[in-house]
Amino acid sequence: MIKKLLLLVVLITPVMAFGAEKVKKEPVVHLTDEQIYEELKKLALVFEVARDNFVEEADEKKMLEAAMNGMLGALDPHSSYLSADDFKEFSEKSHGEFGGLGIQITSDRGAVRVISPIDDTPAEKAGIKAGDYITHIDGDQVFDLTLNQAVKKMKGRPGTKVKLTVISDGAEPRDITLKRAIIKVKSVKFEEKNIANADDDDQKIGYIRISDFGATTAKELRDAITALEKKKVIGYVLDVRNNPGGYLTAAIDVSDAFLDGGEIVSTRGKEKSDIERSYARPGDMAGGKPVVVLINHGSASASEIVAGALQDNGRALVMGSQSFGKGSVQQQKPLGDGTAIHITIARYYTPSGRSIQNEGITPDVEVLQSKIEVLEKRQSMYSEASFKNSLKNDVSKKKDKDDKKSDDGAEKELTDEEKDALDYQLQRAMDMVCAMSKLKSHAAAAADVAADNSPLGDAADNQDAGTDKKNDSKKSDKKK
């Protein structure tokens, strides 16, 4: 049943904030058909009385859509009613191109919270971070707006501007003016990265960044691995930090690319029999090379499926910080008139049977994003050069200027290598891949040595020798 459905994990849907207070669920008391009919009559009566007595002219369509949204919102934070425009926009986002700011948001107890900005979009370039709160859009408060209403206020014609008031953790509110753009999502980026202080200059690590899980993610990933394998990388860093999710099928295919077998994920619906399990097919595209998956609190849903699948199968080491904790699956149910219902239809579980709903994926090695502080000056005040009559270096080409500044004193734009050096989590992940690669090489070398020193050959010789000794013994006995 579930197999036939187009499953979506999350794109831009209401998501409960990680760490929100858990509400104890009361047992459901079902109504009889007669009671349901009476309640529906009451709903119709409320609509008529409100429409006829409200102080201003009532918008019937707006009232009815709000009623349907409220009905679905009472189920869970992810279920909602999609108007014709909302459904159309949702479909456009699902196919990897849409207009806006490039920001994934969620509803957090009446506030609008940022799950993550999408790479290379106006929101990301403006410095908006995962966990930020948006309090105003063009000066208007957003508290108690529905998520769809907040999204609509941020959307607009490409090239037009919108002002957001943003609050970051522990900071004062700040106004950011962004220019709307057509957001074209290329979900996979990759490159080979040099290893600092490597014994072999040719050794490189394959770095793959997945910003979301869209319709083309699996193909883009396969192309990335194929290209990096030609570079003979020693291992991989799979970066899904601040990735809010996407297609469930894409998460399964991404996991499959690194696995040679085993379960990837199971989805479990309302009925006990509604269980679907997805398994990896034979063939690890990375050839068993070390893999480190980088996650953080902005890694949600499909990202957590990939991290959980590789972690539970022992295929990858997960590093970073605790992930978001969204373990449910949503689907769009068209209503036949261009509108639809976006509703939660199943929970998903990792191969070991873990549900990460409200919990998240716990990294094998916790590495919080940190800032490296230089504790030593580049040049000591006391060195050979500090002596008054020390000999000069006659071949030195060292320039007496700050490496970070140009000749006119302006700050230079950081190179990719310098940006990588400031990414503490990435540096630790690359270190881990190097360590895992060396351990694997040492283990392989030890296995070869053990094979060369195997007692099998000696045992044959010893067996012959033993036979000779017995024969000699017999000859000796005869002589006696």
Side-chain angles (χ1 to χ4, degrees):
M1 176 181 175
I2 295 179
K3 185 188 297 182
K4 298 178 182 178
L5 301 177
L6 175 62
L7 301 181
L8 284 176
V9 182
V10 63
L11 281 169
I12 296 184
T13 64
V15 181
M16 281 293 285
F18 179 75
E21 294 181 7
K22 296 180 180 179
V23 179
K24 186 178 179 180
K25 294 189 69 174
E26 297 292 335
V28 177
V29 179
H30 292 287
L31 301 178
T32 64
D33 289 345
E34 184 178 351
Q35 289 173 322
I36 292 172
Y37 178 71
E38 289 299 322
E39 291 298 318
L40 289 174
K41 283 173 59 179
K42 188 189 296 183
L43 177 64
L45 181 61
V46 169
F47 170 76
E48 290 181 5
V49 172
R51 179 188 60 180
D52 296 341
N53 291 275
F54 185 60
V55 66
E56 295 181 357
E57 188 175 359
D59 184 333
E60 292 93 346
K61 184 178 180 181
K62 186 177 179 180
M63 291 171 66
L64 291 170
E65 286 186 351
M68 289 184 282
N69 251 319
M71 181 192 305
L72 293 166
L75 298 174
D76 77 335
H78 316 295
S79 300
S80 62
Y81 169 78
L82 299 176
S83 66
D85 290 340
D86 293 337
F87 190 33
K88 182 180 178 182
E89 289 175 3
F90 196 98
S91 299
E92 289 173 353
K93 290 192 287 286
S94 301
H95 288 86
E97 182 173 325
F98 55 96
L101 305 176
I103 185 172
Q104 305 278 9
I105 61 174
T106 179
S107 177
D108 181 5
R109 289 163 287 183
V112 174
R113 187 180 183 219
V114 176
I115 299 176
S116 71
I118 301 173
D119 292 353
D120 299 323
T121 61
E124 192 263 345
K125 292 174 181 176
I128 293 177
K129 305 291 185 184
D132 286 350
Y133 283 89
I134 298 172
T135 62
H136 295 75
I137 302 173
D138 284 332
D140 298 329
Q141 284 193 2
V142 299
F143 290 104
D144 295 324
L145 285 180
T146 67
L147 196 65
N148 288 335
Q149 289 171 334
V151 169
K152 281 184 177 180
K153 288 179 74 69
M154 286 188 279
K155 286 183 173 295
R157 187 165 48 85
T160 58
K161 294 181 179 180
V162 60
K163 185 174 73 172
L164 304 180
T165 302
V166 178
I167 298 179
S168 299
D169 186 26
E172 292 294 318
R174 67 188 191 279
D175 289 333
I176 302 175
T177 300
L178 301 147
K179 185 181 288 186
R180 298 180 177 97
I182 295 294
I183 308 301
K184 295 183 179 181
V185 180
K186 182 173 175 60
S187 60
V188 177
K189 295 180 180 179
F190 69 94
E191 62 178 303
E192 68 273 15
K193 291 189 178 292
N194 295 316
I195 303 171
N197 303 319
D199 297 331
D200 185 352
D201 292 338
D202 293 332
Q203 285 192 338
K204 296 181 183 296
I205 291 175
Y207 173 76
I208 301 176
R209 163 69 181 160
I210 303 180
S211 57
D212 80 326
F213 289 85
T216 62
T217 301
K219 181 183 182 305
E220 291 177 30
L221 176 77
R222 289 193 295 269
D223 292 343
I225 296 176
T226 300
L228 290 169
E229 282 296 296
K230 291 179 180 177
K231 301 288 186 179
K232 301 187 183 303
V233 296
I234 65 169
Y236 292 87
V237 173
L238 184 63
D239 188 352
V240 291
R241 291 175 296 177
N242 295 323
N243 181 326
Y247 285 109
L248 173 61
T249 51
I252 292 170
D253 289 341
V254 166
S255 303
D256 191 9
F258 292 99
L259 292 171
D260 196 34
E263 184 176 313
I264 294 174
V265 67
S266 63
T267 56
R268 307 179 192 183
K270 184 176 182 179
E271 304 298 331
K272 291 184 178 179
S273 59
D274 290 345
I275 300 178
E276 288 291 334
R277 299 182 187 276
S278 299
Y279 294 91
R281 296 161 294 185
D284 174 2
M285 291 190 69
K289 292 176 181 176
V291 178
V292 169
V293 181
L294 267 181
I295 63 172
N296 66 1
H297 59 278
S299 304
S301 204
S303 303
E304 295 170 300
I305 288 176
V306 172
L310 300 185
Q311 185 182 54
D312 282 2
N313 281 285
R315 179 62 186 91
L317 194 76
V318 178
M319 293 182 67
S321 52
Q322 195 81 8
S323 64
F324 191 84
K326 180 184 180 293
S328 60
V329 184
Q330 283 71 48
Q331 185 202 26
Q332 287 69 53
K333 296 276 192 180
L335 300 179
D337 61 348
T339 64
I341 290 174
H342 185 72
I343 190 165
T344 300
I345 61 168
R347 290 183 173 90
Y348 70 76
Y349 296 79
T350 68
S352 64
R354 287 182 294 163
S355 171
I356 64 168
Q357 180 64 29
N358 286 346
E359 298 292 338
I361 295 290
T362 300
D364 298 304
V365 180
E366 184 182 59
V367 179
L368 302 180
Q369 190 66 284
S370 306
K371 184 178 180 181
I372 300 175
E373 182 181 359
V374 177
L375 299 178
E376 183 181 18
K377 291 184 178 180
R378 179 164 297 188
Q379 279 188 312
S380 171
M381 292 180 65
Y382 183 74
S383 66
E384 175 69 15
S386 63
F387 290 110
K388 183 177 180 181
N389 59 342
S390 64
L391 297 175
K392 304 299 181 185
N393 188 318
D394 58 343
V395 295
S396 175
K397 296 180 181 179
K398 187 176 180 181
K399 295 183 179 180
D400 188 18
K401 66 176 183 179
D402 190 341
D403 291 340
K404 292 291 181 193
K405 292 187 178 181
S406 60
D407 293 335
D408 59 2
E411 290 288 333
K412 292 197 303 183
E413 185 175 348
L414 295 177
T415 64
D416 290 339
E417 289 78 9
E418 289 170 333
K419 289 178 182 178
D420 287 349
L422 295 175
D423 190 339
Y424 183 75
Q425 290 176 322
L426 175 58
Q427 291 301 314
R428 301 294 72 76
M430 291 174 63
D431 290 343
M432 184 62 73
V433 170
C434 291
M436 293 166 69
S437 179
K438 287 182 179 179
L439 285 173
K440 187 174 181 180
S441 298
H442 292 162
D448 290 340
V449 171
D452 291 340
N453 297 330
S454 172
L456 292 177
D458 295 338
D461 294 338
N462 291 336
Q463 187 175 2
D464 293 338
T467 303
D468 292 340
K469 287 179 180 178
K470 288 180 181 178
N471 292 335
D472 290 343
S473 176
K474 289 179 180 179
K475 289 178 183 178
S476 177
D477 292 339
K478 287 181 180 179
K479 286 180 181 180
K480 288 180 180 178

